[in-house]
Amino acid sequence: MASRPKIDHAARKSRRYADKWPLFGVFLGVLSASGHARAEGFADPPARVQLKYNGGAGCPSEAAFSREVKARIRRAVLWVDSDPARHITVRAELRGGRARGSLEIIEPAAEPTLRDFDAETCSEVASALALVVALALDPNARTEPLPPEPEAPPAERLVPVAASVPPKKNEQAARALRFSAGPAVTVSGKYAPVVLVAPGLNFGARYESESLFAPALELTPLLGKTGKTGPDTPLATFSWLMARLDVCPLTLRASELVRLMPCVTSELGQLTVSGKADPVYPSSLTQHRFWADLGLSAKMRLVSDPLFVELGLSLLRGITEDTFELSAPEQKIYGGHQFDWLPSGMLSLGVEL
């Protein structure tokens, strides 16, 4: 007697789930095909994934979305807040009478993946996005509808228990304080009769933080000389030996690559002038002036960890007198910028560890 055919009920459930959102067909096919090539991924170390979810009013919460993704994944995943190998951003909202959602997956060695969904309710959109995220992380993820979450017991049944849950370890604790070094060059006006160009070395220390308060400290020794590092002057040689200090209490993350920092800047050092036009200003006549100024700077840093390029614009106010007189009767060569505003710019390259 012929055996009765067997019905694959799991396959019928998967088809009914896919029929509920027809757009899944394409995405599930692509993700399943790529999953065969990574079927042995269970032997690999857990993937570092950063998941960000933004749900509008009337949409599931971030905790609910995260629970659904984790309930579908069968393989180990390390969820991190920074330095991920894969960055996933999900958005869901109600707009124009329909629910709409978007998904973006960014990996270092691949082009970003962008997907858009819409449905009648925001819960349907969120569940669709959770399924696609789960399959992107685990080709063997569960695709069947998940059972509803059990209801919480009544408040009177809850028995308080002293929980001793260890605090979550901050994975960036070892890198909370980062140090940097690299070459720098400044271009300054009003320090000499011509623009004064001074190369130097930039050393920095910065506190790594996701918040706006991420203080940074930079120290830059500089040495400039007219006719050597920048334009020349006809009557005298101007030399500049300075230490520049930038204190930047805030860091604004304009994007993944761009950081903006307001800073307080000060310079301390020495200006030296030596005559070179005999006999009016003989070279034997040399004068030194202590120099100090204070002002504000705005810095923009382009980051490709661990490398960075930083551009800063400053407006500083001179505190000390810098007048130079090298002949008798006394004739001023240059100076008189005490309490004057002095513009300058600095470009630096560096490595941050």
Side-chain angles (χ1 to χ4, degrees), residues 151-159:
E151 295 183 0
E156 57 271 14
R157 293 187 179 182
L158 295 179
V159 179

Side-chain angles (χ1 to χ4, degrees), residues 271-318:
L271 283 173
T272 301
V273 172
S274 299
K276 65 177 183 180
D278 293 335
V280 181
Y281 304 115
S283 59
S284 59
L285 293 179
T286 299
Q287 292 185 3
H288 306 279
R289 295 287 185 273
F290 171 74
W291 178 261
D293 58 33
L294 179 67
L296 299 176
S297 299
K299 293 177 176 286
M300 180 178 69
R301 175 176 288 196
L302 304 178
V303 180
S304 180
D305 205 9
L307 305 178
F308 68 87
V309 178
E310 186 175 275
L311 175 65
L313 299 177
S314 305
L315 192 60
L316 309 177
R317 188 160 189 173

Side-chain angles (χ1 to χ4, degrees), residues 71-86:
R72 293 188 179 282
I73 296 176
R74 303 175 190 268
R75 63 177 300 178
V77 174
L78 181 60
W79 304 99
V80 298
D81 294 328
S82 58
D83 294 334
R86 183 177 294 180

Side-chain angles (χ1 to χ4, degrees), residues 33 63 75 86 143-144 154 180 230 240 246 250 263 267-268 296 332 349:
R75 63 177 300 178
R86 183 177 294 180
T143 58
E144 67 275 8
S180 63
W240 190 39
D246 294 283
L250 306 176
C263 308
E267 295 173 330
L268 296 175
L296 299 176
K332 183 172 71 173
L349 312 175

